[in-house]
Amino acid sequence: MSLLSDLVNLNLSETTERSIAEYIWIGGSGMDLRSKARTLPRRISDPNRLPTWNYDGSSTGQAPGEDSEVILRPRATFPDPFRRGNNNLVMCDAYTPDGVPILTNNRYKAAEIFNHPDVNAEETWFGIEQEYTLLQKHVKWPLGWPVGGFPGPQGPYYCGIGTDKSFGRDIVDAHYKACLYAGIDISGINGEVMPGQWEFQVGPAVGISAGDQLWVARYILERITEIAGVVLSFDPKPIPGDWNGAGAHTNYSTKSMRTDGGYEVIKKAIDKLGLRHDRHIAAYGEGNERRLTGKHETANIKTFKWGVADRGASIRVGRDTERDGKGYFEDRRPASNMDPYVVTSMIAETTILWNP
Ligand code: ADP
Ligand code: MN
Ligand code: MN
Ligand code: MN
């Protein structure tokens, strides 16, 4: 066992310039992360200098068997916390051999919006609160819950400590440090209201990089749960009934919102989001209707409402923002399984580009 871990931890730089690049992409379900590795002559961290690659799209539900090749284009790189040394994680998006973005390439559409000069000028910041649930491997029941039964009711678990209240902290902390190692702007972690549920936050991150960073943070988390023998779930309501669901609150600001008079800009942006409520809800994650019930710190999926410090609203404005007359707001509607490329770019499009 120890010789095996010695070998896994070998420092390649002692004998070679060569480097391992782990290419990551999103599979056909839209939530399945896939990856495979290749050897490079040396470390290459500029995504534009990395080679394109390909994969078998018929094995991920993204291409027919008779024409199965899908092309990977590197978009962002991160120091690899698993292999360390000169090795990188590489976030990619996917194209047909003719160079057309494949149907599930949401990053391409998002980048078009973020590259629009009006959006670019507003320096959009996003802070995404990713909630998730850890499950016991064989029974797929939350970590720390008695198999075939339930823990005591919610109350003591949120930000709780102690062996009967906090389940999986080592995984959470390993992930926190691994993300910082990788250069991800992870801003914090906390235990959630439902036992076995946790949250990490990525941000503030600018434009498309919020999506890249959140996807790589999810990737790192699932790799760590794999090591720990625990199953990771992004289901927005993993346990029906009187248990909190899992969301991905998206905090957002533009340059004009962050400068004096920004509160007026924020209110106009929120009005526009209200006018497009249905369209946003349709893009904010699968199964979100099980979570947005109007209970457990959510607004009902059918109603749009906003408020200062209101955790039962669709959009919450913080007390600080109201007091300072500038700042940011929180879209509380996105589900834990949302695609951050879709959600961030849609918020930017509705609030900056769209004229009702
Ligand atoms: P909550 O109080 O809802 O639990 P969190 O503290 O979990 O909020 O997350 C808030 C997120 O918003 C953090 O990632 C933080 O970095 C981010 N954030 C802070 N300021 C801004 C801003 N001006 N624009 C966008 N995001 C911001
Ligand atoms: Mn939070
Ligand atoms: Mn939370
Ligand atoms: Mn929040």
Side-chain angles (χ1 to χ4, degrees), residues 123-131 158 185-190 192 199-205 249-254 257-258 311 316 321 326-330 332:
E123 289 166 25
T124 53
W125 291 6
F126 297 94
I128 303 171
E129 304 168 54
Q130 176 70 67
E131 293 177 339
Y158 169 72
D185 296 319
I186 184 167
S187 51
I189 57 104
N190 63 266
E192 271 304 336
E199 169 181 316
F200 66 87
Q201 303 99 28
V202 167
H249 299 168
T250 301
N251 299 272
Y252 170 66
S253 64
T254 61
M257 294 174 191
R258 293 187 295 268
R311 287 174 197 276
R316 176 173 69 96
T321 297
K326 62 184 171 187
Y328 66 101
F329 64 85
E330 174 191 45
R332 299 176 60 80

Side-chain angles (χ1 to χ4, degrees), residues 92-133:
C92 302
D93 66 352
Y95 297 79
T96 69
D98 299 333
V100 181
I102 65 168
L103 228 54
T104 50
N105 185 345
N106 294 327
R107 190 189 189 282
Y108 181 84
K109 291 159 243 167
E112 281 189 325
I113 292 167
F114 286 117
N115 286 333
H116 190 290
D118 296 354
V119 177
N120 197 41
E122 279 290 354
E123 289 166 25
T124 53
W125 291 6
F126 297 94
I128 303 171
E129 304 168 54
Q130 176 70 67
E131 293 177 339
Y132 60 94
T133 309

Side-chain angles (χ1 to χ4, degrees), residues 132-135 218 221-223 225 230-234:
Y132 60 94
T133 309
L134 299 173
L135 305 176
R218 286 174 172 178
L221 182 57
E222 193 150 20
R223 288 279 307 272
T225 58
V230 163
V231 173
L232 173 62
S233 170
F234 288 114

Side-chain angles (χ1 to χ4, degrees), residues 50-104:
L50 277 164
T52 60
W53 202 9
N54 62 68
Y55 67 93
D56 168 16
S58 73
S59 298
T60 60
Q62 291 168 302
E66 59 289 354
D67 186 13
S68 65
E69 198 164 294
V70 178
I71 309 299
L72 289 172
R73 291 199 186 154
R75 294 303 185 192
T77 68
F78 302 84
D80 182 342
F82 301 101
R83 295 196 177 99
R84 302 196 292 273
N86 275 332
N87 310 299
N88 281 341
L89 303 175
V90 180
M91 189 66 207
C92 302
D93 66 352
Y95 297 79
T96 69
D98 299 333
V100 181
I102 65 168
L103 228 54
T104 50

